[in-house]
Amino acid sequence: MDRFAERRFDDFRRALDDGQRIDISLHDRNEILFSPVFDHLSPSLSRWIADARGQILATDQDAGLAGKTWRALLDRADRRVLLKAAIAEEQPQPLTVRLPGTDGQRRWCLVRMRRMTSTDGLVRYYGTLEDVHDRHDSQARALERALAESREHYRWSVELSPQVPWTAAPDGAIEEVGPRWLNLTGMVAKKALGTGWLVALHPDDLPRTITIWTKHLASGAPIDIDYRIRLRDGGYRWMRARAAARRDEQGQIVRWYGTLEDVHAQKLALRALADSEERSRLAVQAARLGIWDFDVATGERRWSAEFRAMLGLSEDQPATSELALSIVHPDDRETLRVMLDAVASGAVPPHFEATLRVHRASDGALRWIRSSGWTTRSESGRAQRVIVTFLDVTDQRDAEDRIRWAATHDPMTRLPNRALWQATLDDMAERQGQTGKRFGLLLLDIDDLKRTNDSLGHDAGDALLCAFAGRLAAIAPPDALLGRLGGDEFGLIAPSLTDGAALEAWSAKLIESLRTPHVHNGRSIDCGVSIGGAVFGDHGDRAEDLLKAADLALYASKAAGRGRLTLFHSDLRAQAQQRSSMIGMARSIIADRLVTPYYQPKVDLRNGQVLGYEALLRWHHPRLGLQLPGSIAAGFEHAEIAVALTEQMLDNVLRDVGGWLQTGHDPGRVAINASAADFARGDFADRVLEQLALFAVPPEHLEIEVTETVFLGRGAGQVERALQHFSEAGVRVALDDFGTGFASLSHLKQYPVDILKIDRSFVSNIEEDAGDAAIVDAIVKLGGSFGMDVVAEGVESAAQADRLLAHGCIIGQGFHLGRPQPCAAITPPLAT
């Protein structure tokens, strides 16, 4: 403050203190009020000066305040707040108070002030006054709305929540309980306060609940407990109470907050599950399965009498882990050890399964044992008891092994089939290619097998095949892999035959051994063989090239009069012309539309009823007449030709079926064969379904037959999609020649197969060969377990039909039941 202003201020102050009349001009007053004393204050609507008693001495605007006291202007609450602030601090925080306005209504005003004391001890208050009524009123309304919304939100949350919220004092006395308590129990909330809620508890749960609640009140730990409460209808319901304590800064419990949740359904479900598991255990015991019972708490093990008999153990031998490990196959001991360790530590899962091999203690026999275990646990989750059931599945495993063997072996000759043999050739070529080593490959074709079949019957032909396989195996090198690659074609791979001379020497030995005729049913049957040979590294550096070279050599042997070996040489490329000729003939057949379907019936073996047909490809040669597919065999290996042949067959078959339906005859389901080439185009299913619609043939009258080879290779994905499309449209899918290919059993799960067709090689010896009979039985049961129909092919006699029926196969196909016939010869189809 400059000297002049300070002097004027002192004069003003003395006048006020002496009680004199103050007559100060507006200029002087403003000079004092707006002096640097107020520079620290924010701009305001009105400035004022008051004495120590609260009387307002001067203002810079005519606000009706001069000469009045704060006591007169403020109500009691605001006076108390203003007085407390004025005394406590030299410059208190701004205060919001209500002051009378010019219209007599109180308005909210913001008061800022500062206390100053002069050198002679005189106290004055200097301040500002700002009207904030409108702003304060808006904020107040917003706050009220927010508070109301918060209360409404809380009310709805509580009323709609399926849980019952509650609070309790530090000593556990209930202070508040949600409205659902009344709906559940019929007890008003007031009666539940304190310890009144205990009246609603089931008597059996009351002591336990009080004990646990008291313990947690003392420790302050969160609580989680189940008990039953009585409902308003008198029944009881399981509830789950959970609570946690809120503490102050010193860690003292201020209040308990909790919820009550209906868990009745969960409790009943758990109880039902426990009862179900107990019934299952008793059912297993009643079924006389082996039982291993382990008490986790005591470590006691009990083995049932059935389990001991299964293991070949006497009653007095102790049930120990060491004993179990000692009789388990060495390769499976680690699996059992891990299981035993898991049980001992309580880490075993609720359910577990394993299959182990066991050498029976009594006789050393190897048995396959499948185990299934269940674990019961306490409320805290600790394992209490482990029950394991054991089933001897040796016979089942043997059957599965036979099925797997059938998928990779020729059932007639017991040799590997083409798929397994080819896979071995591929592996050997890859290994030997890396080392530069050679090996020999021979393709062998029995001469005139067809003539034997035609003249003496297929039984004689099959016997000749088996005899040839036996002689082949007898003189084969020890390191050789033999395989039956087709009807009369065999293959041999031998790392010990590394050059042409070795192949010639061995082949001469085989040909010589075959000079002794084979005798079947008292009749002598000659057996010659044509052989084509090639050496890996000399005639091909890849498996497919080597196989092609040997194949050309085989054709050369057969063309030269048979009964000899031909080693591959460059001139044999001419053999490829023969294949080209067959392909050319196939193209002509397609161009001239010479394809004709013949229909072989599929018959119900129980009553002879025709259930449907398989459409077989035939074609008419202009000079030679009706021809079998073998005359254009090379065409079926050509993707484009194979697809065209399938299309002509499909058109002709659907035309025939449509004609039958129009005349009122129902042909049942007619099957048509499809190759891998058909599926490779990606739209095979769509094209077939379009043709069905074009010929007005319902999808349920068509079956698609595939061999296991379509499941293999790069196109497996689109094959699966096409077959799924067929299945969804109502077209059934049949797996032909089952057991003679190289498909995995998983394919039966992966693909929508409706029908399994047992290959004729299994059926032909079903009367004499127990192994064939067992395989037929296993395939029938396998099909039944997958919900598939099973059709036996190659049924050539009534005895075979009877044996098939005995094994549960009710559908057959073969010459005994009906030969393939043209459409016109089938009148009427499916006669009843």
Side-chain angles (χ1 to χ4, degrees), residues 131 222 573:
D131 189 329
R573 298 296 179 190

Side-chain angles (χ1 to χ4, degrees), residues 341-353:
D341 291 344
V343 170
S345 63
V348 66
H351 178 67
F352 57 91
E353 293 185 353

Side-chain angles (χ1 to χ4, degrees), residues 2 138 264 284 430 451 471 523 599:
D2 59 26
S138 175
H264 193 72
V284 169
E430 183 177 353
R451 185 174 60 186
R471 297 189 188 186
R523 300 194 62 174
Y599 300 93

Side-chain angles (χ1 to χ4, degrees), residues 647-726:
E647 289 179 346
Q648 283 200 17
M649 276 289 292
L650 181 65
D651 287 348
N652 293 335
V653 168
L654 293 183
R655 184 176 292 106
D656 291 343
V657 173
W660 284 331
L661 293 175
Q662 288 179 3
T663 60
H665 297 306
D666 182 358
R669 294 184 182 270
V670 179
I672 184 171
N673 290 278
S675 66
D678 295 315
F679 291 94
R681 295 179 59 179
D683 61 346
F684 179 52
D686 294 329
R687 289 188 288 111
V688 171
L689 296 177
E690 289 173 3
Q691 291 296 95
L692 283 168
L694 179 64
F695 287 97
V697 174
E700 57 267 22
H701 285 291
L702 182 67
E703 286 180 6
I704 297 295
E705 281 198 16
V706 298
T707 61
E708 296 171 338
T709 55
V710 304
F711 297 150
L712 309 176
R714 298 179 180 177
Q718 60 191 21
V719 171
E720 182 177 3
R721 288 189 294 272
L723 294 182
Q724 191 64 46
H725 196 177
F726 280 132

Side-chain angles (χ1 to χ4, degrees), residues 63-101:
L65 300 178
K68 296 182 179 180
T69 65
W70 286 111
R71 180 181 295 275
L73 293 171
L74 302 175
D75 59 22
R76 176 177 298 179
D78 289 344
R79 286 201 304 269
R80 186 174 302 166
V81 171
L82 187 67
L83 176 61
K84 182 177 179 181
I87 296 173
E89 300 181 64
E90 181 179 324
Q91 185 174 348
Q93 295 293 323
L95 303 173
T96 303
V97 298
R98 288 169 294 180
L99 292 174

Side-chain angles (χ1 to χ4, degrees), residues 176-199:
E176 294 178 313
V177 65
R180 288 202 70 242
W181 173 264
L182 174 62
N183 298 336
L184 285 170
T185 65
M187 179 190 296
V188 297
K190 184 176 181 181
K191 289 187 177 181
L193 302 183
T195 59
W197 62 281
L198 293 173
V199 176

Side-chain angles (χ1 to χ4, degrees), residues 221-395:
I223 188 172
D224 189 341
I225 185 176
D226 295 345
Y227 49 72
R228 288 162 289 182
I229 62 169
R230 186 174 62 249
L231 307 180
R232 61 168 59 242
D233 62 1
Y236 284 90
R237 198 164 186 86
W238 281 99
M239 308 294 287
R240 181 184 185 183
R242 287 179 286 186
R246 178 168 69 87
R247 300 176 184 270
D248 58 18
E249 295 178 355
Q250 288 73 39
Q252 298 299 315
I253 296 177
V254 176
R255 184 171 283 104
W256 289 86
Y257 294 85
T259 59
L260 196 63
E261 178 184 3
D262 188 331
V263 294
H264 193 72
Q266 295 94 311
K267 276 284 188 178
L268 294 183
L270 289 174
R271 181 174 296 171
L273 178 60
D275 293 342
S276 176
E277 290 178 346
E278 181 65 12
R279 287 194 300 271
S280 297
R281 186 186 69 82
L282 294 175
V284 169
Q285 186 175 14
R288 301 181 64 82
L289 299 178
I291 302 295
W292 179 71
D293 189 347
F294 177 69
D295 189 320
V296 178
T298 64
E300 181 183 0
R301 296 175 176 85
R302 291 185 295 273
W303 293 351
S304 69
E306 294 78 12
F307 185 38
R308 290 179 176 274
M310 195 180 298
L311 300 181
L313 299 173
S314 62
E315 289 292 332
D316 57 350
Q317 290 180 278
T320 64
S321 300
E322 293 74 15
L323 178 57
L325 286 169
S326 68
I327 61 176
V328 169
H329 191 282
D331 293 343
D332 294 340
R333 284 176 186 166
E334 184 60 27
T335 300
L336 179 59
R337 185 177 289 107
V338 170
M339 292 172 55
L340 293 173
D341 291 344
V343 170
S345 63
V348 66
H351 178 67
F352 57 91
E353 293 185 353
T355 301
L356 306 172
R357 288 165 293 178
V358 172
H359 286 287
R360 195 155 48 195
S362 57
D363 56 11
L366 182 64
R367 310 297 295 177
W368 286 89
I369 306 295
R370 184 172 63 203
S371 64
S372 297
W374 291 265
T375 306
T376 59
R377 299 183 179 275
S378 65
E379 292 185 358
S380 63
R382 297 190 61 179
Q384 291 181 316
R385 193 177 186 185
V386 180
I387 303 292
V388 187
T389 64
F390 294 89
L391 178 65
D392 189 324
V393 294
T394 305
D395 295 339

